Amino acid sequence: MITTACGWTHVPRPRYCSASAPPIRWPAILAVVALPRRPTTAATTFLRFTRYRAVLSALKQALNEGHFVCVLEVVPQQSPSRLASLAQILQRGHLAGWPLLPAFADRVGLHSDLSPLEGADASGNPASSLLHFSGKDRERADLIRHIASMKAQGLNQLLLLSGDRLPGHHPGQKPVRYLESVPALQIAREQCPDWLLGAALNPFKYREEEGGAQYLKAQKKLLAGADFFTLQLGFDAAKHREAQTWMAAQPISRRMMACVMRLTEKRAAVLQNVPGIVVTDSMRELLSKEREVSPDYASARTLERMALQIVGLQWMGYAGVHVSGVHTLDELLALEQAITVQRDSVTSLADWHERWHASWQMPGASPVCFAPDTDAWEMGQSNVVATRSERLRYTLLSSVHEQFFNRTGWLGKAFGWTVSQPLWKSGVAARALHAVERTLKRPLVGCDTCGHCRLQDTLYVCPETCPKGLANGPCGGTRLNRCEFGDRECVHSVKYRIAKSVDQLPVLAHTLIPNIEAGNRHRSSWPEWFAVVDSTPEK
């Protein structure tokens, strides 16, 4: 998620709260994402889309032509009333004049929920549907079957996610491995060169390690074939601008959408415990005080803020919004009315900033801060370094690797010749070699003998020590460098510190690490490492 997000330079700036007007922290962003005119009128945009729907989906058309689009996230449930409400919304087909398309979530609710394919089918299987694919507890074969089913139903738009914590997954018990988004994107792009493929980005990070690692992994997603990004739900406008700044600097630039939701007091209490979503205590305090005035007052304020955020995201240059928490046509129409009011009154991005921060103020309430603490990291800051023990460990392991696994050195050649003998390929000898490798490497790096060692590409921080087994970078669920599971520091934050300290950050941005299949695990990786590569050109 680098122009080298590798090359951070320290630009100290104070963190601001909503009680004061926000400083312009990156003047360049206004030149990139703020238009010198007001956005195209919604009605004009929608009419233009209807002309092309038979040829190209509205989402792809919007991304190609730079028009604003709304995606309604649906958690597919076996509920006749919910499906009936969805049918009404989809029949209307737009929000405030912008095209409105369904996106079916994957593995976020109960086990009894429908799959995205079943949800799309139950809603009439519209070709414009964006399907999510969560990689938790899945492998390559699962994705290929999913793609085949989509092709059979005429669907060709996919948002690929590693996925949040699988219910019942405890790291100390049987491991659960995730098909992470980077290799999933590669697989989907190989299978479907012309499909519209999306990926996720979570810019709402407030430590350098987790923020830098997010953007480094996003760069990998670009290389793997992502056509667009959807940002995780967040309310910090500074981080929305930060993500735009990062994307504008990439050699491969793609459009981005942002998740939005009406943040009520009740939802805030739930979301504060959802990994990767930042809802601060000061935000909750304001929502509570609004509720104390009256439920109607609180409802009006939360609706106004959601509409205002959508309008602001359009002014920032986002391709559209990923709308969550709208379940009925009445809710959609209320949101549409609020959007119309805000869109007609906001005259510039600077004007929007003033209105946005004013919407988070209330007499008697403390100033609202969107960062979880006062010492929050921002893009441009570069302060962290690896600890002495982290650097020493990297130096030791990289030296061992150079001696024993360099295919051109005499010691590497000797070791490679030994472990490449046919003796070690099966039976008792293969199991013995596996046991030796595991015995040596598990105390050193936490190795689970995946059968295809990736330590050289992960700064000798074993990806098997990530509860999800992610090798290419972090998921979106970290909080202040802590793992989503809460029992450790995110291993990718450690990896970032080491890479930065030894000038290896480009490795974390450019090396796409393939997924490990279950059938290849629990065997020695040494014979494969030294396997002779046939360099003879094909005839």
Side-chain angles (χ1 to χ4, degrees), residues 24-105:
I24 301 301
R25 286 177 284 180
W26 300 294
I29 188 60
L30 296 180
V32 175
V33 301
L35 304 178
R37 53 180 171 77
R38 298 187 63 178
T40 306
T41 62
T44 302
T45 300
F46 179 67
L47 290 173
R48 188 179 300 173
F49 279 128
T50 59
R51 207 175 302 151
Y52 295 101
R53 280 189 178 178
V55 180
L56 196 63
S57 79
L59 178 55
K60 199 164 189 176
Q61 188 74 33
L63 296 172
N64 287 348
E65 296 194 354
H67 299 303
F68 203 72
V69 65
C70 300
V71 173
L72 178 68
E73 180 166 336
V74 180
V75 178
Q77 298 176 334
Q78 300 190 54
S79 167
S81 60
R82 183 64 65 86
L83 288 172
S85 296
L86 175 62
Q88 287 184 309
I89 292 174
L90 296 182
Q91 185 176 10
R92 192 164 192 275
H94 69 93
L95 172 62
W98 299 312
L100 180 66
L101 316 167
F104 293 92

Side-chain angles (χ1 to χ4, degrees), residues 140-257:
R140 176 188 179 93
D142 297 304
L143 176 56
I144 291 176
R145 283 193 295 270
H146 185 81
I147 288 172
S149 298
M150 287 181 64
K151 287 180 177 178
Q153 296 189 29
L155 301 172
N156 58 8
Q157 301 181 145
L158 193 57
L159 178 62
L160 294 146
L161 313 161
S162 297
D164 56 3
R165 180 177 183 171
L166 186 72
H169 176 194
H170 302 287
Q173 300 173 3
K174 182 179 178 180
V176 177
R177 292 306 177 223
Y178 294 57
L179 176 61
E180 63 177 318
S181 52
V182 171
L185 279 163
Q186 289 181 285
I187 294 166
R189 183 57 71 203
E190 291 168 1
Q191 298 284 319
C192 314
D194 300 325
W195 277 26
L196 182 68
L197 302 180
L201 169 63
N202 188 347
F204 304 100
K205 301 300 178 185
Y206 297 90
R207 289 289 181 269
E208 180 185 340
E209 299 98 314
E210 63 176 359
Q214 275 288 323
Y215 286 116
L216 286 163
K217 187 172 184 178
Q219 188 166 350
K220 288 189 179 188
K221 293 175 184 179
L222 287 171
L223 295 174
D227 294 311
F228 70 95
F229 281 86
T230 295
L231 271 58
Q232 188 154 344
L233 179 66
F235 304 91
D236 188 345
K239 290 296 181 179
H240 282 115
R241 298 200 308 273
E242 176 184 287
Q244 286 282 46
T245 300
W246 170 79
M247 181 59 81
Q250 299 312 302
I252 306 172
S253 185
R254 295 288 184 260
R255 302 299 305 282
M256 295 195 296
M257 306 178 72

Side-chain angles (χ1 to χ4, degrees), residues 460-472:
Y460 304 98
V461 177
C462 183
E464 298 298 301
T465 59
C466 167
K468 298 179 181 181
L470 305 183
N472 285 282

Side-chain angles (χ1 to χ4, degrees), residues 361-396:
Q361 296 178 34
M362 182 179 176
S366 302
V368 169
C369 287
F370 299 104
D373 61 24
T374 56
D375 186 28
W377 170 82
E378 298 171 353
M379 181 181 284
Q381 295 177 343
S382 181
N383 302 314
V384 302
V385 293
T387 65
R388 185 169 180 270
S389 63
E390 287 169 346
R391 293 195 300 272
L392 181 62
R393 183 172 174 275
Y394 171 82
T395 301
L396 173 65

Side-chain angles (χ1 to χ4, degrees), residues 433-454:
L433 189 63
H434 167 234
V436 170
E437 181 175 346
R438 186 180 177 90
T439 300
L440 291 173
K441 290 167 62 178
R442 190 167 183 82
L444 286 173
V445 296
C447 173
D448 197 34
T449 47
C450 65
H452 184 85
C453 190
R454 298 155 288 173

